[in-house]
Amino acid sequence: MNALLNRPLAELMAEAAALRDAGHGRAFSYSRKVFIPLTKLCRDVCHYCTFAEKPRAGHNPYLTPEEVLAIARAGAAAGCTEALFTLGDKPELRWHAAREALAALGHASTIDYLVAMCALVLKETGLLPHANPGVMTRDEVAALREVTASQGIMLESTSTRLCAPGGVHHGSPDKDPAVRLEVLRLAGELRVPFTTGILIGIGETRAERLEALQAIAASHAEHGHIQEVIIQNFRAKPGTKLAGAEEPDLEDLLWTIAAARVLLGPAMNIQAPPNLSPGVYQRLVAAGLNDWGGVSPVTIDHVNPEAPWPGIEILAARTAEAGKVLVQRLPAYPAYVRAAETWIAPVVAPRLRQASDAEGWAREDRWSPGEVTPPRLPSPRLAAADGTVARIVSRATAGERLDAPEIMQLFAARDADFAHVTAAADALRAAVSGGTVRYVVNRNINYTNICTYRCHFCAFSKGRTHEALRGPAYDLDHGEIVRRAVEAWDRGATEVCLQGGIHPDYTGATYEGICQAIRAVLPEMHIHAFSPLEVTQGAATLGLSLTEYLTRLKAAGLGTLPGTAAEILDDEIRAIICPDKVNTAEWLAVARAAHGLGLRTTATIMFGHVETSLNWARHLLALRDLQAETGGFTEFVPLPFVAMEAPMFLKGQARRGPTFREAVLMHGVARLVLHPLIPNIQTSWVKMGPAGAALALQAGANDLGGTLMNESISRAAGTQHGQEFPPEAMEALIRSIGRQPEQRTTLYGPVPESRRQAAFEAAELSPVVQTAPRKREAVRG
């Protein structure tokens, strides 16, 4: 302790800033919130407080439910994610008016009413409640946990001197340090993401500040629940006993922030309210802060009403001047969002997931895959990329294999770092494939939507019955499959892509028969069919090895395999989203066997649900390593998770797809990580939308995929984009970004002019016929 007390300020701040950078990089967070002062009555008499009021005749001591909702709805309309409930400590223990008002509201205590209002706001507005009700019992903390994303209590100080006569906390029983530390302990035991902090300049010494910070550190070391520590500087207010007291100066505040960082370490979130220190933001950042706390575009700071909030755009600009990127967070910090199963109540967790990105920050915009909301990428504020990011990009551009932490750092890129990653990926795209954007005229044929698997993300498959669920079950006969293939050929297609559910009656011979039926009528049509899951199932039903079965499929006319059913090639995630599906090793085994027979495959990733950037990194490295071994992947296709009708999203178990920044980054990072082994990065217009696909093509992608003609799987999941993107529309989009379109074959070869002409002169599609399920005997073979 003496070492900290005696260290020169500049030296202490330099160490604190270095620790903060090690733990948080360039991200500097804030929460967009509304202040909801549920009651300003309090049983305490702190000598510096203007928030607490006495009962007034004709004035309701508590906000009504209607008033609470009005504030919350205004916040939601302004883009807030947090509803900060602030109130005095247990006023009913002091004030008769409080007891009467609570009785009229139908509640026994202030915290009982607070629980009800948190639940109301959560249900009606989607805002995530954070509650600061003061001292609580175990039962009260537990009750609030069910309806809040986080809770908090300012420790303020551990100095018992301040509770003695003449001290600022004399007459305030809830400010007893032991009582407040007990609340911290209870919150830790109940696994509540918890906010606390100290108030400086109220008569404590610097040594006592350090003692309070050490007490916070000890509580966190035991339970891991302290998500942020606030260093709040006392402001003298007229009408209080400390109206004439001297406020802590800037150096005192900087010393305390820096000391807190050194004591609490690089990972802790340390906050100082920006409205209490206007004009010195860069100095505060230099002292080791990484968070500005809650900032409201709607309500004043009811605790410090004399101190207006900075505008969020102004705060972002000042933060950028300090070399940091302002990032919006949720009431629970990212580490707790990512571990919501442990830290967040079941009613609250789905709302938290839906509001978050893969890292656990708040989503940057309202875009989701499959929706028609215009995508948006903000302009960077920082002048240059971070040196470490630049070095990682340089290594990738040179073709070096990155490791997982390096890839995760690329996926975390924002602002100038994002611009650098995507620009480098686009330059690499230009070097590899020039200014040409390719596409294939093809048709999707999903031959059955009956499936024995229960993948939690799938809105396409169904059982034999339950007609109301996702439409009627179907199982296409050979006649309808061939009819669609012939129609596709007549409309200029060079490929049919065939995939479906894992029908309980299908055997390996079923897939073989589909290929044979198409090949008999259309010998020149390329058959791109059967995911590694279908191949695995088909081989197993015939008692064949993968190589033996794939050899039979190749002889029957199979040309290439789609790299679907990959989802996330990390068994940690597969156990959550598709526990009965092929595992990572089995998926890779099918691709390896196919490549060994000269059957090329694509590779995909389905991202934006429950996984994190670590899982993305593992997926990309698995693909890169197999490609280095076999060279058999033709392209990599990022498939953003379309959430709208997905079961696990509807159950509150998944995010609502990647953010647009994440979706674009997946294309750019993949270009860098897979270079030079996989030369083609494809973007999905079905998932990204045409405008989103155009931006992905400027961030590393060089391929626009297929025209599709029929698209069933994403449509079942809820995408609002069309089922066909005809070649004239594809080429117009490609030209609009200054690139040259080129129709290709599945294997990236040239297309005869006759095929191209047929594609541009295509007739309207005939209505599809969804053949009803047949009896078991009719399906086999």
Side-chain angles (χ1 to χ4, degrees):
M1 184 182 292
N2 286 336
L4 279 177
L5 290 170
N6 298 323
R7 285 185 69 181
L9 179 60
E11 181 183 304
L12 185 63
M13 287 176 62
E15 180 183 356
L19 286 169
R20 183 269 324 283
D21 290 348
H24 300 279
R26 299 179 105 181
F28 206 101
S29 53
Y30 82 103
S31 176
R32 193 182 294 237
K33 71 177 180 184
V34 285
F35 241 119
I36 302 179
L38 192 63
T39 180
K40 291 190 173 183
L41 299 185
C42 183
R43 72 164 174 165
D44 296 319
V45 290
C46 302
H47 298 180
Y48 46 77
C49 180
T50 57
F51 175 80
E53 298 176 348
K54 295 180 180 180
R56 288 177 285 154
H59 177 74
N60 193 335
Y62 292 85
L63 294 179
T64 65
E66 293 75 20
E67 289 170 327
V68 168
L69 276 181
I71 296 170
R73 285 175 174 145
C80 297
T81 56
E82 175 182 347
L84 170 59
F85 284 87
T86 187
L87 54 157
D89 272 85
K90 294 184 171 56
E92 66 273 20
L93 298 182
R94 179 182 179 189
W95 301 109
H96 179 70
R99 294 191 290 274
E100 283 189 333
L102 287 169
L105 290 165
H107 293 277
S109 70
T110 297
I111 291 184
D112 182 41
Y113 184 47
L114 173 63
V115 170
M117 292 302 97
C118 287
L120 181 68
V121 165
L122 181 69
K123 178 183 177 182
E124 297 295 329
T125 72
L127 290 186
L128 296 159
H130 171 87
N132 286 334
V135 171
M136 295 174 279
T137 65
R138 174 183 288 275
D139 288 346
E140 289 168 337
V141 174
L144 275 172
R145 187 186 189 276
E146 296 303 308
V147 292
T148 60
S150 54
Q151 299 175 41
I153 186 172
M154 288 289 284
L155 178 58
E156 295 194 8
S157 177
T158 51
S159 172
T160 55
R161 292 186 306 103
L162 302 183
C163 298
V168 295
H169 290 152
H170 181 61
S172 300
D174 299 295
K175 293 304 173 80
D176 183 330
V179 171
R180 296 176 92 77
L181 285 170
E182 175 65 5
V183 177
L184 263 65
R185 187 187 70 80
L186 293 173
E189 288 185 351
L190 292 168
R191 304 192 78 72
V192 176
F194 212 70
T195 294
T196 189
I198 62 173
L199 181 60
I200 69 170
I202 55 173
E204 82 293 347
T205 66
R206 283 189 172 183
E208 287 170 332
R209 293 178 200 169
L210 296 181
E211 289 171 358
L213 292 169
Q214 286 173 329
I216 292 169
S219 183
H220 182 64
E222 184 174 359
H223 301 292
H225 67 305
I226 304 296
Q227 63 166 0
E228 67 179 330
V229 174
I230 302 171
I231 309 299
Q232 185 165 331
N233 45 316
F234 157 74
R235 296 285 295 266
K237 295 177 174 63
T240 68
K241 290 185 178 180
L242 295 187
E246 185 177 352
E247 297 177 351
D249 61 20
L250 178 59
E251 285 202 359
D252 202 17
L253 177 59
L254 296 175
W255 179 88
T256 310
I257 292 169
R261 173 62 67 194
V262 171
L263 273 176
L264 297 170
M268 181 56 70
N269 298 293
I270 298 180
Q271 173 200 133
N275 60 320
L276 299 187
S277 302
V280 293
Y281 297 157
Q282 292 189 30
R283 299 290 305 279
L284 300 180
V285 174
L289 282 189
N290 70 289
D291 187 83
W292 293 125
V295 177
S296 180
V298 177
T299 51
I300 65 170
D301 179 351
H302 287 279
V303 175
N304 298 284
E306 77 286 353
W309 300 114
I312 291 170
E313 283 299 309
I314 293 172
L315 190 62
R318 300 292 85 80
T319 304
E321 289 169 3
K324 301 297 178 185
V325 178
L326 190 66
V327 181
Q328 186 179 345
R329 64 168 172 82
L330 301 168
Y333 276 80
Y336 301 91
V337 176
R338 294 195 302 267
E341 298 80 7
T342 299
W343 290 98
I344 310 296
V347 172
V348 184
R351 302 278 191 162
L352 200 63
R353 292 189 190 98
Q354 291 170 15
S356 75
D357 67 12
E359 294 177 88
W361 299 112
R363 299 179 72 89
E364 297 108 325
D365 56 37
R366 297 184 183 276
W367 182 88
S368 287
E371 294 183 354
V372 294
T373 304
R376 182 181 65 88
L377 288 173
S379 299
R381 295 180 182 274
L382 297 179
D386 175 75
T388 301
V389 169
R391 285 190 293 274
I392 294 170
V393 167
S394 180
R395 289 188 56 231
T397 302
E400 296 183 34
R401 185 186 188 276
L402 303 181
D403 61 25
E406 290 173 318
I407 298 170
M408 292 170 67
Q409 192 155 353
L410 297 184
F411 277 123
R414 296 172 185 267
D415 201 86
D417 295 341
F418 173 90
H420 184 78
V421 169
T422 53
D426 195 48
L428 193 56
R429 180 271 316 157
V432 170
S433 63
T436 300
V437 175
R438 295 173 176 84
Y439 68 95
V440 62
V441 177
N442 67 347
R443 183 171 197 169
N444 270 13
I445 302 176
N446 302 119
Y447 38 78
T448 185
N449 64 348
I450 298 172
C451 189
T452 59
Y453 287 79
R454 293 292 179 266
C455 300
H456 302 318
F457 55 83
C458 183
F460 171 73
S461 68
K462 63 179 287 118
R464 295 174 184 269
T465 56
H466 300 95
E467 293 291 312
L469 178 64
R470 309 169 195 159
Y474 66 84
D475 177 15
L476 302 187
D477 58 26
H478 283 183
E480 176 61 15
I481 292 173
V482 170
R483 186 198 69 77
R484 293 189 196 185
V486 169
E487 185 179 34
W489 179 263
D490 292 342
R491 301 179 85 244
T494 57
E495 170 197 303
V496 284
C497 177
L498 298 114
Q499 298 177 92
I502 305 300
H503 194 296
D505 295 337
Y506 281 15
T507 71
T510 307
Y511 305 119
E512 190 177 15
I514 290 172
C515 291
Q516 291 168 338
I518 296 171
R519 177 52 52 91
V521 177
L522 296 169
E524 295 182 69
M525 180 71 87
H526 185 97
I527 300 174
H528 180 65
F530 315 133
S531 73
L533 177 61
E534 290 159 295
V535 171
T536 301
Q537 185 254 1
T541 61
L542 300 180
L544 299 175
S545 70
L546 292 174
T547 298
E548 290 169 334
Y549 181 54
L550 285 165
T551 299
R552 284 180 55 164
L553 289 177
K554 185 176 182 182
L558 181 65
T560 52
L561 284 74
T564 48
E567 326 314 350
I568 298 292
L569 293 175
D570 187 339
D571 290 339
E572 173 184 292
I573 300 303
R574 299 182 80 80
I576 299 171
I577 67 173
C578 51
D580 54 352
K581 212 169 192 173
V582 290
N583 62 29
T584 299
E586 290 166 338
W587 189 96
L588 293 170
V590 174
R592 181 180 289 108
H595 297 171
L597 293 171
L599 288 167
R600 305 290 296 278
T601 73
T602 64
T604 65
I605 185 172
M606 193 270 291
F607 64 106
H609 34 89
V610 303
E611 81 298 356
T612 69
S613 60
L614 172 61
N615 311 113
W616 299 344
R618 290 170 177 168
H619 183 107
L620 291 178
L621 289 174
L623 295 178
R624 179 187 171 95
D625 291 344
L626 184 58
Q627 183 74 342
E629 176 188 336
T630 68
F633 291 122
T634 54
E635 71 237 55
F636 174 70
V637 190
L639 300 173
F641 171 57
V642 178
M644 286 81 87
E645 299 297 328
M648 65 184 183
F649 176 75
L650 295 175
K651 294 176 182 177
Q653 297 165 348
R655 303 190 301 278
R656 55 186 182 94
T659 67
F660 189 67
R661 178 188 64 86
E662 291 170 334
V664 172
L665 270 177
M666 182 61 74
H667 296 79
V669 173
R671 168 66 67 188
L672 295 167
V673 172
L674 300 175
H675 177 70
L677 301 175
I678 300 181
N680 299 302
I681 307 297
Q682 183 183 123
T683 186
S684 169
W685 60 265
V686 175
K687 310 289 198 300
M688 298 290 290
L695 288 169
L697 288 169
Q698 298 171 78
N702 68 305
D703 192 274
L704 197 47
T707 58
L708 300 184
M709 300 190 195
N710 294 115
E711 199 296 310
S712 302
I713 296 174
S714 294
R715 292 290 289 183
T719 182
Q720 299 171 27
H721 301 296
Q723 297 191 62
E724 181 176 21
F725 202 11
E728 55 269 25
M730 277 206 168
E731 296 204 356
L733 178 67
I734 293 165
R735 289 194 175 96
S736 74
I737 61 171
R739 304 277 170 79
Q740 292 301 311
E742 182 179 295
Q743 187 178 338
R744 63 169 174 84
T745 66
T746 307
L747 292 171
Y748 285 81
V751 172
E753 182 58 32
S754 60
R755 293 282 79 212
R756 178 173 167 81
Q757 185 175 349
F760 277 83
E761 296 174 354
E764 290 294 318
L765 281 166
S766 300
V768 297
V769 176
Q770 304 289 42
T771 312
R774 291 155 284 157
K775 292 182 179 180
R776 179 182 297 266
E777 293 75 19
V779 178
R780 287 195 177 276

